[in-house]
Amino acid sequence: GESVGLHLPTLSVQEGDNSIINCAYSNSASDYFIWYKQESGKGPQFIIDIRSNMDKRQGQRVTVLLNKTVKHLSLQIAATQPGDSAVYFCAEGGSGNTPLVFGKGTRLSVIA
Amino acid sequence: KAGVTQTPRYLIKTRGQQVTLSCSPISGHRSVSWYQQTPGQGLQFLFEYFSETQRNKGNFPGRFSGRQFSNSRSEMNVSTLELGDSALYLCASSSIPTFPSGGEQFFGPGTRLTVL
């Protein structure tokens, strides 16, 4: 598969544990945030999004938390599975008509 | 329903050449966005087309251009290739424009371009 990023921060988690991936965003005017998952050799896959008028949103096994005060976004994955191993990106957007800005990504490695 | 398809998947060119990449969105999707992904810069937005009109453009030189056809298929072109253009070029489709609506995007597998 292709390498998405050679020097990404890596989070190693034991299978079954919860994972927390963090992201700092830059534009306080951003009102839309997304988390993507990218597996080796594939394009990014939408996981979950959140608008700035919310501070928490839950999906299936995932929760996104938004702290606008410190411009911080986190993705929590419950009961992490080997299939969760991938690179995770956050993206911010919605400020006027500006395009999405992506973070550099975090590589999640699940230890069986 | 077929996903987003990109052709070719791999391409090798030399400096100074030009290249055209193709993207077919999910059936019914009218928005196509293009991104460049490199290890150093990560994912960077190139441009978005909706109903054959460019809606937004990222901070890339004019050597990067694109277009969208009436069937929503899109092409991007890079002229006068430079070594730094080596990257994974990703296309994403959505049913509505991503800005400012934030419509969910579906990505293709990408075209890996290597410039020698």
Side-chain angles (χ1 to χ4, degrees), chain A residues 3-101:
Chain A
S3 174
V4 171
L6 298 178
H7 304 293
L8 294 175
T10 299
L11 174 67
S12 295
V13 175
Q14 204 71 33
E15 181 179 359
D17 287 352
N18 296 334
S19 303
I20 300 177
I21 301 171
N22 296 304
C23 176
Y25 64 92
S26 56
N27 189 348
S28 56
S30 292
D31 66 2
Y32 181 67
F33 305 89
I34 316 171
W35 279 101
Y36 287 93
K37 170 187 180 183
Q38 187 172 22
E39 297 173 274
S40 182
K42 297 183 179 179
Q45 177 187 3
F46 175 94
I47 301 173
I48 191 168
D49 61 0
I50 189 169
R51 294 243 174 231
S52 60
N53 61 352
M54 304 171 69
D55 53 22
K56 179 179 179 179
R57 190 168 186 216
Q58 288 185 290
Q60 188 177 12
R61 275 202 313 119
V62 295
T63 300
V64 55
L65 298 177
L66 175 63
N67 185 330
K68 294 182 286 293
T69 303
V70 294
K71 293 190 288 187
H72 183 268
L73 196 64
S74 69
L75 177 71
Q76 300 178 0
I77 304 173
T80 312
Q81 303 167 359
D84 295 327
S85 293
V87 175
Y88 290 81
F89 298 93
C90 66
E92 60 178 302
S95 173
N97 200 31
T98 55
L100 286 174
V101 175

Side-chain angles (χ1 to χ4, degrees), chain A residues 2-6 31-32 34 36 38 41-46 49 51 89 94 96-104, chain B residues 9-10 35 37-43 45 55-58 88 90 99-109 112:
Chain A
E2 297 159 1
S3 174
V4 171
L6 298 178
D31 66 2
Y32 181 67
I34 316 171
Y36 287 93
Q38 187 172 22
K42 297 183 179 179
Q45 177 187 3
F46 175 94
D49 61 0
R51 294 243 174 231
F89 298 93
N97 200 31
T98 55
L100 286 174
V101 175
F102 286 79
K104 290 287 169 47
Chain B
R9 290 294 311 277
Y10 300 92
Y35 296 86
Q37 187 174 39
T38 60
Q41 298 299 317
L43 262 169
F45 171 79
R55 282 182 54 85
N56 217 324
K57 191 178 192 312
L88 181 67
L90 291 158
F99 319 112
S101 317
E104 180 178 349
Q105 294 183 85
F106 297 84
F107 282 82
R112 169 67 64 184

Side-chain angles (χ1 to χ4, degrees), chain B residues 13-79:
Chain B
K13 291 284 188 179
T14 56
R15 278 181 298 174
Q17 287 187 309
Q18 74 163 18
V19 67
T20 299
L21 312 181
S22 180
C23 171
S24 292
I26 291 172
S27 178
H29 284 191
R30 293 159 61 193
S31 170
V32 174
S33 297
W34 287 91
Y35 296 86
Q36 181 195 67
Q37 187 174 39
T38 60
Q41 298 299 317
L43 262 169
Q44 292 185 287
F45 171 79
L46 280 156
F47 25 68
E48 180 186 17
Y49 288 86
F50 182 81
S51 295
E52 301 179 67
T53 301
Q54 187 180 86
R55 282 182 54 85
N56 217 324
K57 191 178 192 312
N59 190 25
F60 278 83
R63 299 185 297 108
F64 292 81
S65 63
R67 59 178 175 168
Q68 186 179 33
F69 301 96
S70 58
N71 62 357
S72 294
R73 190 177 70 84
S74 176
E75 289 181 345
M76 70 161 279
N77 184 277
V78 187
S79 62

